[in-house]
Amino acid sequence: MTLAGHLHVSPGLQAFTVLIARGVQSTVDGLSAEVRQAVLAELFRMGTEASENHSGHTPCPPYTLRLDVADCRMHVELDPMRTRLSLTGLTRPRPH
């Protein structure tokens, strides 16, 4: 996995690490700058939201989310106990 960055949050909140799976990195690199920015922004938004939602709460097991951002289908694994968010899959629809 490639480390995309670490969120810096105010004291008292647990920061989430955002990772991109090695096999997905080339797909991210092949996106246009605008789409890549939208995908990465969504990952960091989700990390921030997860940090706020899971800070100080009872730990929960990892779970997977599927969402569409900028015409891309993203598969994201969120592991609150490890404070880690991972982009595990990314696909774009084929042009018609």
Side-chain angles (χ1 to χ4, degrees), residues 71-83:
D71 294 329
C72 294
R73 170 65 50 101
M74 296 171 57
H75 295 260
V76 178
E77 182 179 296
L78 186 61
D79 187 345
M81 294 189 305
R82 289 180 152 166
T83 64

Side-chain angles (χ1 to χ4, degrees), residues 12-51:
L13 294 178
Q14 183 66 44
F16 265 67
T17 300
V18 176
L19 301 168
I20 298 173
R22 217 174 281 253
V24 178
Q25 185 65 54
S26 62
T27 304
V28 172
D29 291 343
L31 298 172
S32 69
E34 182 179 298
V35 173
R36 184 174 48 252
Q37 182 178 357
V39 166
L40 295 176
E42 181 61 18
L43 288 174
F44 282 98
R45 186 202 64 76
M46 291 174 67
T48 299
E49 185 175 288
S51 177

